[in-house]
Amino acid sequence: MRSSVPLAGIRRAYATATRQRPSAAAWSFAGVNDAVRDIVLLGDPVLHKPCDPVYGDKKRGLAPLGGQDLAAIAHQLRSTAAHHNAFGLAAPQLGYLFRMFVMARDWSTLSDTHRATYEDYDVIVDPRVDSLCSNDKDVHVEQCLSVPGIQGVVARPNCLRASYYDLTACDAKQAPTERPRRTKRRVVRFAAQIFQHELDHLDGVLYMDRMEKGSEGLAIVPPRKGLPWSVS
């Protein structure tokens, strides 16, 4: 039986569970050979900081991220997500404060096989939700690689219209040379849950912050080797 625990208790339990954020020198990715990176855990302030747009913001004086750096982050995200059989993974979970994440293209197959590959992930850059298709919500149990051993019940809209830059074609050996056109997509059901979970990471929000106050849906769960997290 799973025992429900207070949210405050979870925060205290993981207050010291941190990972070292890459140094400023590492952001150039010079000499970085290991594509599977450590996951930033709850307790690290990077998880609660909003991310900067990849393609910059003239009003804020932010320059676009360089093509080689963008390709390197995308490569690390896909490699690390596949290593953990994750449905998705966001840049701040690797310590990079940029608005990008990866998500499994076919979450249903991943649920059945529990085996993800590098090619299974789309690279989503500077995403946003443009509108909701309806006011209906689905309730799912969510987990997060940054909060290991915990799961919680979260209700999210089950149909949305999203837009983003699709950088799936780029990898460590093929850096993007120009900004692509924005992709518009209708995202439904569990894919919508994954999309919103990862988008929250880019705004410094964890799924626990989306749970209703006083919710008893937060529980400690035993680790299950080889199975994917609900969302990551």
Side-chain angles (χ1 to χ4, degrees):
M1 180 180 294
R2 302 188 184 106
S3 57
S4 297
V5 294
L7 180 57
I10 295 301
R11 294 193 185 282
R12 288 195 297 269
Y14 285 93
T16 58
T18 61
R19 285 290 184 272
Q20 183 177 359
R21 187 179 177 187
S23 64
W27 285 61
S28 66
F29 304 101
V32 175
N33 296 316
D34 186 5
V36 177
R37 308 291 288 177
D38 286 342
I39 300 293
V40 175
L41 299 181
L42 182 65
D44 193 319
V46 73
L47 292 176
H48 294 285
K49 293 182 179 180
C51 295
D52 292 332
V54 169
Y55 282 108
D57 186 336
K58 291 183 178 179
K59 293 182 179 180
R60 295 168 57 195
L62 297 175
L65 183 65
Q68 291 293 336
D69 288 351
L70 174 54
I73 295 177
H75 180 62
Q76 292 177 9
L77 282 170
R78 295 170 84 177
S79 299
T80 307
H83 176 77
H84 290 283
N85 293 319
F87 288 131
L89 187 67
Q93 291 180 275
L94 300 188
Y96 304 122
L97 287 172
F98 293 103
R99 299 188 68 80
M100 60 187 295
F101 62 77
V102 297
M103 63 180 289
R105 194 174 304 109
D106 185 355
W107 60 265
S108 180
T109 298
L110 179 55
S111 295
D112 294 335
T113 63
H114 309 149
R115 294 182 180 179
T117 67
Y118 182 93
E119 290 76 18
D120 290 336
Y121 295 92
D122 289 331
V123 181
I124 311 296
V125 172
D126 290 344
R128 67 170 179 253
V129 173
D130 295 320
S131 64
L132 300 179
C133 309
S134 72
N135 293 322
D136 295 337
K137 293 184 177 182
D138 283 348
V139 177
H140 289 282
V141 174
E142 296 192 13
Q143 297 179 352
C144 182
L145 289 173
S146 291
V147 193
I150 304 297
Q151 68 179 17
V153 178
V154 181
R156 297 184 189 270
N158 63 18
C159 182
L160 53 91
R161 298 179 183 89
S163 62
Y164 53 88
Y165 298 111
D166 186 349
L167 271 293
T168 306
C170 86
D171 58 29
K173 297 180 180 179
Q174 184 177 350
T177 57
E178 59 184 23
R179 183 186 306 195
R181 288 187 175 183
R182 284 189 73 83
T183 295
K184 294 185 178 181
R185 173 183 172 189
R186 186 170 178 266
V187 190
V188 300
R189 298 301 180 183
F190 191 57
Q193 195 91 1
I194 299 171
F195 192 98
Q196 292 170 90
H197 178 110
E198 304 305 338
L199 185 61
D200 273 351
H201 273 300
L202 308 187
D203 293 322
V205 176
L206 299 177
Y207 78 86
M208 296 179 297
D209 300 319
R210 294 294 187 189
M211 296 175 63
E212 294 183 3
K213 292 183 178 180
S215 171
E216 293 298 321
L218 196 66
I220 297 175
V221 294
R224 294 179 295 170
K225 186 176 181 181
L227 294 181
W229 298 91
S230 295
V231 281
S232 300

